[in-house]
């Protein structure tokens, strides 16, 4: 169940900072368990060295952290990132959730990503769900996890 997980948005440059892993080790000693944290890596920042990012992702996964690719679908390199980084979760960009119920194109994109996720043993997240019709289609398609104000406001 994901209710016990904290999704933290990060840029690739943040987790690739040489001090980041040490910071997490200190944090774990004092207040939290790595298994409760999923890092959502933003696709908004261009990654120049995907192999170095993959090494850091592997270290984070070994330490028990979850990894998500955030905003999938807004960059042409997104599918490559998913394949190369093998995250635990793929979070679709909000542009896909808006009007999902009346867009065959968007529904086909979700189906394609569900197939990729199934093959790679990842979970697909549809964020920014604000319409009952979009939620119904997401359920019908088999989306694993939904997020959005329709489902509940974020905890403070």
């Amino acid at each position: 169940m994901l209710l016990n997980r904290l999704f933290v948005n990060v840029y690739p440059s943040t987790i690739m900072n040489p001090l980041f892993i040490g910071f997490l080790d200190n944090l774990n000693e004092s207040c939290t368990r790595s298994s409760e944290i999923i890092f959502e890596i933003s696709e908004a920042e261009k990654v120049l060295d995907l192999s170095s990012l993959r090494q850091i992702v592997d270290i984070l996964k070994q330490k028990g952290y979850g990894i998500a690719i955030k905003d999938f679908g807004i960059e042409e390199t997104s599918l490559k990132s998913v394949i190369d980084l093998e995250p635990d979760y793929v979070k679709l960009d909000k542009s896909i959730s808006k009007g999902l119920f009346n867009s065959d194109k968007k529904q086909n994109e979700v189906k394609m990503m569900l197939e990729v996720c199934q093959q790679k043993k990842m979970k697909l997240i549809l964020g920014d769900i604000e319409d009952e019709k979009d939620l119904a289609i997401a359920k019908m398609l088999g989306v694993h996890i939904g997020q959005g104000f329709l489902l509940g406001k974020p905890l403070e």
Side-chain angles (χ1 to χ4, degrees):
M1 178 175 253
L2 290 178
L3 292 176
N4 299 331
R5 303 293 188 274
L6 174 65
F7 283 75
V8 179
N9 295 322
V10 294
Y11 286 110
S13 60
T14 302
I15 65 172
M16 291 175 72
N17 183 307
L19 301 175
F20 188 70
I21 298 294
F23 165 76
L24 292 178
D25 290 341
N26 289 336
L27 186 66
N28 278 341
E29 288 177 11
S30 62
C31 64
T32 189
R33 291 190 303 257
S34 58
S35 62
E36 297 173 346
I37 298 174
I38 290 109
F39 290 109
E40 287 190 35
I41 300 172
S42 174
E43 286 274 287
E45 181 182 78
K46 194 77 164 167
V47 177
L48 300 177
D49 186 358
L50 198 56
S51 66
S52 292
L53 180 59
R54 172 61 195 248
Q55 290 174 348
I56 299 299
V57 164
D58 287 345
I59 290 169
L60 291 172
K61 288 172 112 178
Q62 289 169 5
K63 292 180 173 285
Y65 294 99
I67 301 294
I69 298 290
K70 178 182 163 69
D71 299 331
F72 178 84
I74 61 169
E75 291 285 328
E76 67 278 356
T77 59
S78 291
L79 188 54
K80 181 170 177 31
S81 295
V82 168
I83 291 168
D84 288 349
L85 297 178
E86 296 182 10
D88 303 294
Y89 307 90
V90 176
K91 186 174 182 181
L92 297 174
D93 181 61
K94 64 184 173 188
S95 65
I96 295 174
S97 63
K98 305 290 185 214
L100 179 65
F101 74 95
N102 66 356
S103 172
D104 290 339
K105 180 182 177 194
K106 290 179 181 185
Q107 290 174 31
N108 287 332
E109 288 177 26
V110 171
K111 288 177 193 174
M112 186 257 322
M113 278 313 301
L114 281 165
E115 288 177 24
V116 170
C117 287
Q118 182 177 1
Q119 291 171 4
K120 297 281 189 180
K121 296 180 175 39
M122 299 179 282
K123 299 288 185 194
L124 187 66
I125 301 172
L126 182 63
D128 297 297
I129 300 173
E130 297 177 7
D131 186 287
E132 292 280 351
K133 295 176 199 170
D134 292 331
L135 177 60
I137 293 297
K139 286 180 179 181
M140 183 197 74
L141 294 172
V143 171
H144 303 120
I145 302 164
Q147 291 179 333
F149 286 112
L150 181 67
L151 301 170
K153 293 182 181 175
L155 300 175
E156 293 187 25

